[in-house]
Amino acid sequence: MDPEPYTKKFVPCQVGPHIYENTGELVWSGACKFQNRNAFDFRPVDGGSEPRLSLILGDVLETGAGMKGMYVILNSSYQTVQAFPAPAGSSMIDMHELKVLDGGQRALVIAQKAQLVDTNPIAGAVGAMWVLNNGFLEVDMTTGGTVFEWWALDFVDLGESYSVSPRGPGTFESPWDFFHLNSIDKNRDGDYLISARNANTVYKISRSTKEVLWRLGGRTSTFQLEGFNFSKQHDARFRPSGNASGTSISLLNNAADDEKPGATSAVLLISLDESTMPFTARLKQQWIRQDGKISRTRSNAQFLDNGNVFANWADRGYINEFTADGRCVLEARWLSGRLNTYRAFKANFAGHPSEPPVLSAHAYGTTSETMTTVFHVSWNGATDVASWAFWGSLAGSPADIKPVGSVTKSGFETMYMAAGLFRMSYAEARDARGISLGRSPITNTTIPRAVLDLLGSISLPATPGASPSAVTPPLTELRYSTGSNAVGTPRVVYDVLSTPYAMAVLSMIVLAFFFRQYLRRRSFRLRS
């Protein structure tokens, strides 16, 4: 839950909830909206009448900020429609789970509180000690009331833990985390499935009695695991089994046991047979982390409607998508090792931001013939934009704004160049049918001092308020847009070097270099 410690270095808005296209292009960043705070379990959810997004917001370290973690629900315009703190019964918010149910009427959240308990010999300690009691709550999101509540210490022995207990009694501020609950799911019968990382166990909990119906894995497993094992697992979920006498579940096996780590992390699909004793668990299928490494913490797995499996391995935001037969069709990770994820999800989502598009315009040129206005436009979170139309005024008056040109949307930020100096402008977003979706505020063009000095000595050929046909046609999108096939320094350098003027300059530089070398050798021979 804790963010990076505060320093005086400049920290841009990078941390927080984000949405990307399947190609890796940014769609929406919520980093600035949430003041660069950590966000967990960010996902699309069923909001009933409209799609919504849910997330768990981390704490803020700055003294006096008064900003503790909270559960947040956003609408499709990225506006906060609901925000609530840890529910009654939990002393602090937990980062691991916010599972929205029943069209936004209820939610499953993990609860925790420090508790002084008598230990037993199995736990390796004698006398009272502070233990972090994990539980989960089903809450009514309309009233804030608790519908169901379950606590591990009421049903689970401390001896089930694989976590090393402290030698002393511990403290209220730093209790022994013997259980570490990290996911909750609910089936149609109303029973719950929970994953306890520090017990290496998945538990099924009865809705009616709260008793543990069975344990999968760990020290006291109800099932015999045939040909597989798991440890430090995350994201245990009920899956359709197709078998009336059994259950199927999935989990992400971190395989990160401290004593006997596995070869690599993997997504497991497990079939549970409860028809005869002893119960048996069989591995139906697994999808192995593509780079062969281990995710020591975090991670989740998602089974998509098309049969594919989407896996988030957490470290550097590493993700894979697999087909049902195990073929990897997507692999991506953050460039920076400073950035990680807790969970990631893939889904169809349409965003309609309430904020308008943002336009930046800059003037460039050294002569009246090369005077150019360069536009950069983006709309954080808009998913339906197909093209951008630009409107500008040569005279610098809103009354004289006329069409400048249009270009296909290219990436998160689209660039467009137009001949002439448009002193003010705005950009209009259009969908695939050409219908206007919104427009940026009118923006004054940034004019460098050198251009202002040039304007004082020349008269531009285009008259103020002239129609777009009176000026040179805009340069093409293919050459100058910032899409994935035409972006970055290499392309810009290539365009500059491909002009006759630049080639002449380059030739002069090469000739000067060889002439200098000739003079150095001649000088050396004269001294000799």
Side-chain angles (χ1 to χ4, degrees):
M1 292 293 289
D2 293 335
E4 292 181 346
Y6 174 77
T7 65
K8 292 184 178 180
K9 70 179 180 181
F10 172 72
V11 178
C13 290
Q14 291 181 321
V15 176
H18 289 77
I19 300 175
Y20 289 85
E21 293 279 8
N22 197 51
T23 58
E25 289 284 356
L26 179 67
V27 173
W28 178 74
S29 169
C32 288
K33 176 180 176 66
F34 293 110
Q35 298 88 43
N36 230 32
R37 298 166 70 179
N38 284 332
F40 306 91
D41 201 20
F42 178 51
R43 62 169 108 175
V45 295
D46 179 12
S49 59
E50 66 165 338
R52 292 191 172 180
L53 300 163
S54 67
L55 61 98
I56 303 172
L57 200 59
D59 294 339
V60 170
L61 283 182
E62 287 84 350
T63 303
M67 299 169 71
K68 301 296 290 182
M70 64 179 61
Y71 300 105
V72 179
I73 306 295
L74 307 175
N75 61 18
S76 59
S77 297
Y78 309 100
Q79 297 171 313
T80 301
V81 295
Q82 196 170 7
F84 54 98
S90 181
S91 59
M92 62 193 82
I93 203 165
D94 185 276
M95 61 173 273
H96 290 97
E97 185 84 67
L98 173 57
K99 185 174 178 62
V100 177
L101 306 172
D102 304 330
Q105 299 300 307
R106 295 185 178 184
L108 298 174
V109 298
I110 293 175
Q112 52 178 284
K113 58 185 177 182
Q115 193 168 329
L116 191 63
V117 299
D118 291 330
T119 60
N120 56 41
I122 299 178
V126 178
M129 69 180 301
W130 286 100
V131 175
L132 184 64
N133 192 7
N134 276 184
F136 67 91
L137 308 174
E138 183 173 340
V139 297
D140 188 321
M141 296 183 67
T142 59
T143 65
T146 298
V147 178
F148 184 87
E149 184 174 356
W150 184 91
W151 291 95
L153 284 177
D154 295 334
F155 301 97
V156 177
D157 193 281
L158 293 175
E160 295 185 34
S161 179
Y162 285 82
S163 174
V164 178
S165 61
R167 294 183 179 180
T171 64
F172 175 84
E173 293 77 15
S174 183
W176 175 36
D177 186 6
F178 89 105
F179 201 62
H180 200 97
L181 199 158
N182 59 28
S183 72
I184 327 161
D185 199 20
K186 186 178 181 180
N187 65 12
R188 294 181 178 179
D189 297 329
D191 296 326
Y192 302 93
L193 190 73
I194 63 173
S195 166
R197 169 188 168 88
N198 284 353
N200 291 346
T201 305
V202 174
Y203 299 80
K204 185 179 180 181
I205 309 300
S206 169
R207 165 73 181 185
S208 57
T209 66
K210 299 186 180 182
E211 295 289 338
V212 176
L213 297 176
W214 49 248
R215 292 165 169 82
L216 176 67
R219 299 187 189 278
T220 58
S221 179
T222 312
F223 293 85
Q224 290 184 352
L225 278 60
E226 295 189 351
F228 76 100
N229 209 335
F230 59 87
S231 63
K232 307 300 181 184
Q233 76 289 335
H234 284 74
D235 203 25
R237 305 291 169 187
F238 287 113
R239 297 294 172 198
S241 66
N243 185 349
S245 63
T247 302
S248 287
I249 69 167
S250 67
L251 58 86
L252 193 141
N253 174 26
N254 292 75
D257 185 79
D258 294 330
E259 297 181 1
K260 296 180 180 179
T264 182
S265 301
V267 179
L268 308 184
L269 181 61
I270 303 167
S271 175
L272 306 178
D273 186 353
E274 305 169 56
S275 60
T276 59
M277 292 294 292
F279 293 171
T280 55
R282 298 178 178 88
L283 182 63
K284 295 176 66 175
Q285 196 168 353
Q286 66 175 338
W287 296 264
I288 297 174
R289 177 171 163 154
Q290 185 68 13
D291 63 1
K293 297 182 179 180
I294 288 178
S295 299
R296 299 203 62 82
T297 59
R298 306 182 302 278
S299 305
N300 70 295
Q302 181 187 7
F303 284 64
L304 305 178
D305 292 340
N306 65 355
N308 286 5
V309 175
F310 181 76
N312 162 59
W313 309 105
D315 300 327
R316 297 183 67 161
Y318 184 51
I319 56 174
N320 293 145
E321 183 177 342
F322 303 95
T323 58
D325 60 3
R327 183 167 49 91
C328 182
V329 293
L330 173 66
E331 183 178 25
R333 59 162 50 88
W334 301 122
L335 291 175
S336 171
R338 185 176 68 85
L339 302 175
N340 295 284
T341 56
Y342 167 52
R343 284 178 177 170
F345 297 87
K346 185 175 181 181
N348 294 324
F349 180 79
H352 309 102
S354 58
E355 298 176 352
V358 177
L359 174 69
S360 177
H362 296 260
Y364 298 93
T366 56
T367 67
S368 59
E369 290 78 15
T370 61
M371 195 63 63
T372 303
T373 306
V374 179
F375 304 95
H376 291 86
V377 63
S378 62
W379 198 359
N380 191 25
T383 58
D384 298 333
V385 180
S387 64
W388 290 101
F390 297 89
W391 301 69
S393 169
L394 295 163
S397 169
D400 293 324
I401 290 182
K402 293 179 173 60
V404 175
S406 62
V407 66
T408 302
K409 179 190 174 185
S410 179
F412 180 79
E413 182 178 78
T414 300
M415 186 176 79
Y416 181 76
M417 299 178 69
L421 173 57
F422 295 90
R423 296 175 184 268
M424 61 173 50
S425 55
Y426 69 83
E428 179 188 26
R430 294 175 177 174
D431 66 13
R433 297 173 294 172
I435 298 174
S436 178
L437 300 173
R439 47 169 279 189
S440 71
I442 294 177
T443 301
N444 291 322
T445 300
T446 300
I447 306 176
R449 171 55 58 182
V451 176
L452 287 174
D453 293 341
L454 177 65
L455 293 177
S457 61
I458 65 172
S459 58
L460 295 178
T463 58
S467 65
S469 60
V471 299
T472 305
L475 298 171
T476 62
E477 172 219 350
L478 178 61
R479 186 174 179 184
Y480 291 97
S481 66
T482 57
S484 58
N485 294 323
V487 63
T489 302
R491 182 56 188 267
V492 173
V493 170
Y494 176 82
D495 280 346
V496 171
L497 294 181
S498 67
T499 64
Y501 174 77
M503 293 301 293
V505 172
L506 181 60
S507 299
M508 292 176 64
I509 293 173
V510 173
L511 288 174
F513 172 80
F514 284 109
F515 184 69
R516 185 177 180 184
Q517 294 296 104
Y518 167 78
L519 292 178
R520 283 183 174 177
R521 294 192 185 97
R522 180 178 177 83
S523 175
F524 176 80
R525 287 196 297 270
L526 290 175
R527 287 198 299 271
S528 300

